[in-house]
Amino acid sequence: MVHEVVVVVFDGVQSLDVTGPLEVFSGASYVREGFYRVRTASLGGGAVVCSSGLGLVPSVALERAGRVDTLVVAGGEGTRGEQPGLVGWLRANAGGAGRVASVCTGAFLLAEAGVLDGLRATTHWASCGRLAREYPSVRVEAEPIFVRSGGVVTSAGVTAGIDMALALVEEDLGAGVALEVARHMVVFLRRPGNQAQFSTHVSVRAARPGPVRRVLHWIAEHPGEDLSVGALAERAGLSARQFARMFAREVGCTPGRYVERVRVETARRLLEEDGAPVAVVARRAGFASAEVMRRSFVRALGCGPALYRERFGSGAG
């Protein structure tokens, strides 16, 4: 039986939120011929205008979509205004879909329809605070690029929708098919859902002026130094307990996790630009050993340093 994928569109939708997952599922149907049928749908079936000004003619009216195995709700500026008709349709019909997913601020439409009540969810990092304030029954997680909870999958912005769609393809058809689609699209395998949405440099800019921001700058410039909580707290002029509490409040994760992210980013840059052995890269990036770095890479990126260099190093073809 064909797996029916419907991507919901509306005026003000973000075009990449639509086309990213659409290309993943369509690509998978080339690898496993005819497995998915992918359609875009709007209320009434009328054309919509994306936030970029691009016109989009849907495949079908949402009301006439029939069986839906995977329902994907895209995001975009159009989610900021009221969408009573679309929300009403989601409230009445989302539960009948085999699984439900959202990209970026499409999570707001699901939340308004009550689909996310009591579930964990994410959206674009810049909108996570608003989602949490407006829908207190939703357990918002600001850091992951996608979150799976209670049969609903929500993702962060734009490219995270591709990662989420690849994860769903892997769930349906296995890792081999997902990898083949990723290769065809020239994207790197798929990032695990718990990977951070944004780089550590964004965290530095987001932190308020004060001891934590000073320490963030120090970490970025000295990844190979002693970056234990005690050492960082001393640099901040705070007790270890005060520092850890303030750091988590301002940055959104523990000092240890942040340090690991900085070191992974440092190592990624070295692997992309430098031909030094992996053990040397590990030492320069501040890891205790190449094996410790490998475990951090697998945890953060879903692959080891050697494969990362193969794909993204300056000599990669």
Side-chain angles (χ1 to χ4, degrees):
M1 183 180 293
V2 173
H3 186 110
E4 299 284 351
V5 179
V6 171
V7 182
V8 178
V9 299
F10 45 86
D11 281 328
V13 73
Q14 159 66 259
S15 58
L16 287 176
D17 289 358
V18 178
T19 58
L22 189 149
E23 292 293 341
V24 169
F25 290 116
S26 297
S29 263
Y30 282 107
V31 179
R32 185 67 62 84
E33 187 175 354
F35 185 85
Y36 295 110
R37 181 167 74 139
V38 190
R39 294 174 292 163
T40 52
S42 68
L43 279 179
V48 301
V49 179
C50 301
S51 56
S52 62
L54 177 71
L56 229 170
V57 180
S59 314
V60 67
L62 199 49
E63 303 90 328
R64 298 180 181 177
R67 191 184 88 249
V68 181
D69 297 306
T70 296
L71 180 70
V72 180
V73 181
E77 287 298 314
T79 63
R80 288 186 170 272
E82 292 187 0
Q83 297 271 6
L86 180 51
V87 167
W89 187 92
L90 290 170
R91 184 176 290 118
N93 296 280
R99 64 187 173 202
V100 179
S102 68
V103 183
C104 197
T105 54
F108 283 83
L109 297 175
L110 293 183
E112 182 66 20
V115 176
L116 299 182
D117 286 353
L119 301 182
R120 295 162 45 244
T122 194
T123 185
H124 189 285
W125 64 268
S127 298
C128 282
R130 182 165 68 90
L131 184 64
R133 288 192 304 273
E134 294 182 8
Y135 302 98
S137 63
V138 180
R139 290 176 284 163
V140 179
E141 298 187 6
E143 189 166 314
I145 59 173
F146 63 87
V147 170
R148 187 188 302 261
S149 180
V152 180
V153 189
T154 52
S155 72
V158 189
T159 57
I162 294 175
D163 295 297
M164 178 185 70
L166 284 168
L168 296 180
V169 167
E170 181 175 333
E171 180 180 296
D172 295 336
L173 296 173
V177 174
L179 176 58
E180 186 63 28
V181 174
R183 284 174 175 160
H184 181 73
M185 295 180 68
V186 200
V187 296
F188 179 62
L189 306 177
R190 74 169 172 82
R191 296 176 293 171
N194 62 356
Q195 184 172 331
Q197 285 195 33
F198 48 88
S199 77
T200 54
H201 300 296
V202 175
S203 298
V204 172
R205 292 196 299 270
R208 68 185 65 176
V212 170
R213 180 183 279 188
R214 290 196 301 272
V215 167
L216 291 177
H217 281 291
W218 169 261
I219 293 171
E221 294 169 3
H222 304 87
E225 299 286 338
D226 177 6
L227 301 181
S228 63
V229 172
L232 296 176
E234 184 177 349
R235 182 164 293 280
L238 300 168
S239 71
R241 181 175 295 181
Q242 284 177 313
F243 173 74
R245 190 164 52 239
M246 184 181 294
F247 192 99
R249 185 172 63 247
E250 295 190 20
V251 181
C253 66
T254 65
R257 183 164 185 186
Y258 184 85
V259 166
E260 181 181 51
R261 284 166 51 186
V262 169
R263 286 174 169 163
V264 167
E265 285 192 17
T266 301
R268 285 172 66 176
R269 189 167 61 252
L270 291 171
L271 289 168
E272 290 166 12
E273 302 171 357
D274 195 320
V278 169
V280 174
V281 170
R283 187 168 62 250
R284 289 179 184 170
F287 289 102
S289 68
E291 175 57 23
V292 171
M293 182 172 79
R294 188 194 67 79
R295 290 198 298 267
S296 292
F297 262 63
V298 170
R299 191 160 45 242
L301 304 174
C303 72
L307 180 56
Y308 184 88
R309 170 177 272 167
E310 180 184 325
R311 289 299 180 90
F312 291 107
S314 57

